């Protein structure tokens, strides 16, 4: 197998970040096969990042007259997916002058992997520019200082040593949902502390729909009634019932009769006023009686009536049905709960802050929270209230935050871990808090040392704001850290199997 490493001054490749490691190149020069047991010529392994693309390139030793296949892996770092289509141009420019070597590949051989075969006619140092023209990314990446040797005998030989670190191939990365990496950078954050909490419906967004009066649940309407989990619009008919004749039912019938009389009287007053047969005062009086009759009927739950006198139970808000208590043909009393509805588009996150930490709360500040069973971390939009009393049992103070939940992914009633922001600002090396894992209480992260190699580093965490962690030791600014699906890299590090090279080259 063939290896190589390059050391590039950072100034030569700005704004690209370069990390180069000893690695095993998959492809060899066409005419450079070695006898069994003999050392092979040393190739190169290069990892570079631009603002939109990650380049991981393996190549054989570059020999005049011996074309070798490159393995050019291209990742769209906006979503860390492989480039599935598009043209890639490799332009090798000799530093001592002369015609450049240009190779164009219109489509990848497999998702994310291009395999150009450049052929060189003279030795020297070449600067490579890779031009990416894909629907996913448009980029230009420069790789300086590639050596091309006049003959196989001049090429350095591979010592045969294996690469250190954890192997996690590009094909594995591309198939791992949520996999991401990012640079560790110096920044400032508001310190936060963890508190337990729960997710509640915001005020006015959780309602119980009860029977307004006594009556019989209509059999035909139950089959079409919404079930728990279904979304309903405000005003949508949920069920129908026939009002009972006794008690409130009689009052309901009287209220309906008075409403009809008020409607007739109002219509007659309007006609007579139009014919100038009565004064305008008569119309105002009729309007007042009509309004009173409507309010009386609405107070009995008679806001929605069918032509045959049945009552329609309608949804007072838009939201999701949480419970349904309907038995076809059963008699219900006034106030009997029939449905529960929750509008979870806006929620409240109630943090139970230990009394000892209550003085650190910054009023009006936001917080972050992670619902139970979820890997996502969400940010609140505002602080609703801070409790003024300590619960004598739990010794906590309730702090309520508001958050938006447009897709309903956050379930009302869930528990949550809440990062409560304080007024203390900290400056230091920051990474996403999702990058930090723990073993026996010892935090660590995975640092990307090359395109397919990772190193486990123990770190010291000096604080967090819920989304980011401040690292005081273990890594440096510019290190590329796994911030998404880090646990999958951990599993790869624990595997006792020797990884096979899975590239489709």
């Amino acid at each position: 197998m063939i290896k190589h490493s390059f050391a590039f001054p950072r100034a030569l490749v700005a704004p690209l970040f370069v990390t180069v490691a000893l690695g095993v190149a998959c492809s060899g020069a066409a005419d450079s096969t070695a006898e069994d047991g003999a050392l092979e010529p040393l190739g190169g392994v290069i990892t570079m990042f631009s603002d939109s693309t990650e380049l991981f390139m393996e190549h054989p030793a570059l020999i005049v007259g011996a074309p070798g296949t490159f393995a050019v892996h291209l990742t769209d770092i906006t979503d860390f997916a492989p480039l599935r289509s598009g043209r890639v141009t490799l332009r090798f420019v000799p530093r001592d002058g002369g015609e450049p070597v240009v190779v164009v590949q219109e489509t990848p051989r497999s998702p994310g992997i291009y395999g150009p075969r450049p052929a060189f006619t003279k030795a020297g140092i070449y600067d490579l520019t890779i031009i990416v023209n894909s629907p996913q990314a448009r980029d230009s990446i420069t790789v300086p200082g590639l050596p091309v040797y006049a003959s196989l005998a001049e090429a350095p030989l591979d010592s045969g040593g294996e690469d250190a670190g954890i192997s996690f191939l590009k094909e594995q990365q591309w198939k791992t949902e949520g996999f991401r990496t990012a640079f560790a950078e110096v920044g400032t954050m508001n310190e936060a502390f963890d508190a337990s909490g729960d997710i509640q419906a915001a005020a006015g967004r959780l309602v119980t729909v009860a029977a307004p009066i006594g009556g019989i649940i209509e059999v035909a309407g139950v089959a079409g009634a919404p079930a728990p989990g279904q979304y309903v619009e405000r005003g949508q008919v949920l069920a129908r019932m026939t009002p009972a004749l006794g008690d409130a039912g009689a009052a309901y019938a009287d209220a309906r009769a008075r409403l009809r009389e008020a409607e007739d009287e109002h219509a007659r007053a309007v006609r007579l006023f139009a014919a100038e047969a009565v004064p305008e005062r008569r119309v105002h009086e009729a309007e007042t009686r009509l309004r009173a009759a409507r309010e009386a009927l609405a107070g009995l739950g008679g806001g929605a009536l069918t032509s045959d006198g049945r009552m329609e139970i309608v949804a007072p808000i838009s939201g999701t049905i949480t419970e349904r208590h309907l038995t076809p043909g059963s008699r219900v009393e006034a106030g009997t709960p029939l449905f529960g509805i929750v509008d979870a588009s806006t929620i409240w996150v109630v943090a139970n802050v230990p009394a000892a930490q209550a003085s650190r709360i910054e009023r009006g500040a936001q917080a972050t929270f992670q619902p139970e069973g979820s890997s996502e971390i969400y940010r609140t939009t505002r602080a609703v209230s801070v409790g003024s009393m300590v619960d004598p049992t739990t010794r906590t103070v309730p702090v309520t935050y508001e958050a938006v939940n447009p897709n309903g992914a956050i379930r009302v009633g869930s528990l949550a871990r809440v990062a409560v922001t304080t007024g203390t600002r900290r400056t230091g090396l920051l990474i996403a808090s999702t990058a930090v894992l723990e073993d026996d209480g010892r935090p660590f992260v995975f640092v990307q040392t090359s395109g397919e190699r990772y190193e486990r580093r123990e770190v010291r965490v000096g604080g967090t704001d819920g989304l980011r962690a401040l690292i005081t030791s273990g890594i440096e600014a510019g290190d590329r850290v796994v911030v998404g699906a880090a646990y999958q890299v951990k599993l790869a590090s624990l595997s006792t199997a020797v990884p096979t090279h899975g590239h489709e080259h």
Side-chain angles (χ1 to χ4, degrees):
M1 301 301 287
I2 4 189
K3 306 177 184 178
H4 194 52
S5 66
F6 299 97
F8 301 132
R10 189 178 179 91
L12 292 177
V13 294
L16 301 176
F17 167 78
V18 179
T19 170
V20 184
L22 289 178
V24 179
C26 307
S27 50
D31 301 322
S32 308
T33 57
E35 298 179 1
D36 291 343
L39 296 180
E40 297 183 5
L42 197 63
V45 179
I46 299 168
T47 302
M48 303 180 75
F49 291 88
S50 71
D51 291 338
S52 61
T53 311
E54 177 190 356
L55 165 69
F56 172 57
M57 184 173 70
E58 301 169 297
H59 67 81
L62 305 179
I63 311 296
V64 170
T69 302
F70 278 54
V72 180
H73 307 71
L74 292 171
T75 302
D76 176 4
I77 62 174
T78 60
D79 58 4
F80 285 82
L83 264 61
R84 301 185 180 278
S85 63
R87 181 175 65 254
V88 168
T89 302
L90 279 73
R91 182 181 177 87
F92 299 84
V93 179
R95 288 185 177 178
D96 59 357
E99 290 296 318
V101 176
V102 179
V103 183
V104 178
Q105 189 168 341
E106 295 294 338
T107 57
R109 296 192 315 186
S110 60
I113 304 176
Y114 291 79
R117 289 175 55 84
F120 299 92
T121 58
K122 72 170 186 175
I125 302 298
Y126 287 73
D127 294 327
L128 167 62
T129 299
I130 301 175
I131 301 172
V132 181
N133 189 353
S134 165
Q136 292 171 261
R138 295 180 183 273
D139 212 341
S140 178
I141 304 172
T142 299
V143 183
L146 295 180
V148 176
Y149 302 100
S151 66
L152 181 61
E154 295 183 13
L157 297 179
D158 177 10
S159 63
E162 284 295 325
D163 294 331
I166 301 161
S167 175
F168 198 57
L169 303 182
K170 281 300 171 191
E171 287 83 351
Q172 292 174 277
Q173 298 172 31
W174 292 332
K175 293 177 182 178
T176 300
E177 183 178 358
F179 178 85
R180 302 182 69 86
T181 64
F183 291 120
E185 298 178 334
V186 174
T188 302
M189 70 176 191
N190 276 4
E191 193 174 18
F193 60 88
D194 284 346
S196 64
D198 58 281
I199 311 299
Q200 301 180 8
R205 295 178 181 266
L206 177 64
V207 299
T208 297
V209 182
I213 61 173
I216 307 298
I217 299 297
E218 190 174 299
V219 176
V222 173
Q230 284 186 268
Y231 183 83
V232 295
E233 296 285 352
R234 179 181 180 182
Q236 180 177 329
V237 176
L238 305 178
R240 293 178 174 84
M241 62 180 295
T242 301
L245 295 180
D247 301 327
Y252 173 72
D254 290 342
R256 284 185 59 208
R258 286 193 295 271
L259 175 60
R260 289 173 180 168
E261 292 174 358
E263 289 172 340
D264 292 342
E265 181 180 350
H266 178 262
R268 183 167 55 254
V270 170
R271 288 196 304 271
L272 292 174
F273 176 71
E276 300 182 353
V278 295
E280 187 177 5
R281 177 176 54 82
R282 177 78 175 272
V283 177
H284 291 326
E285 292 172 350
E287 287 176 347
T288 300
R289 284 191 289 272
L290 177 59
R291 186 162 50 251
R294 286 173 175 167
E295 291 174 353
L297 186 59
L300 294 172
L305 306 173
T306 63
S307 58
D308 57 0
R310 287 179 170 80
M311 177 177 292
E312 293 182 333
I313 309 300
V314 299
I317 64 171
S318 298
T320 303
I321 298 294
T322 60
E323 55 184 350
R324 186 181 79 166
H325 305 286
L326 289 179
T327 302
S330 64
R331 189 185 191 284
V332 295
E333 302 297 330
T336 301
L338 302 178
F339 294 91
I341 304 176
V342 62
D343 174 10
S345 59
T346 299
I347 56 174
W348 279 0
V349 182
V350 181
N352 303 308
V353 175
Q357 300 276 23
S359 61
R360 302 181 62 199
I361 299 172
E362 185 180 27
R363 290 183 178 272
Q366 297 181 359
T368 60
F369 64 99
Q370 183 176 19
E372 61 179 338
S374 173
S375 59
E376 295 292 327
I377 297 177
Y378 301 89
R379 187 183 292 276
T380 62
T381 55
R382 68 184 182 97
V384 177
S385 64
V386 177
S388 58
M389 293 185 61
V390 176
D391 186 291
T393 303
T394 63
R395 305 304 299 169
T396 60
V397 176
V399 181
T400 303
Y401 299 93
E402 187 175 86
V404 294
N405 183 30
N407 58 4
I410 306 171
R411 305 290 184 183
V412 172
S414 300
L415 299 178
R417 181 180 64 83
V418 186
V420 181
T421 303
T422 72
T424 304
R425 294 186 64 79
R426 299 284 302 277
T427 298
L429 190 62
L430 302 179
I431 60 174
S433 58
T434 53
V436 182
L437 304 179
E438 285 191 0
D439 267 346
D440 297 327
R442 302 171 67 180
F444 65 91
V445 300
F446 289 105
V447 175
Q448 184 177 15
T449 56
S450 74
E452 296 181 334
R453 290 284 166 178
Y454 296 84
E455 182 179 283
R456 174 172 166 155
R457 304 256 189 95
E458 290 195 1
V459 295
R460 181 174 296 174
V461 180
T464 178
D465 65 357
L467 292 176
R468 298 171 298 174
L470 188 145
I471 306 299
T472 59
S473 67
I475 59 174
E476 298 179 354
D479 284 342
R480 191 86 185 179
V481 180
V482 179
V483 298
Y487 189 75
Q488 299 305 315
V489 182
K490 178 182 177 180
L491 293 180
S493 72
L494 298 176
S495 174
T496 56
V498 178
T500 58
H501 213 288
H503 296 323
E504 302 172 11
H505 295 169

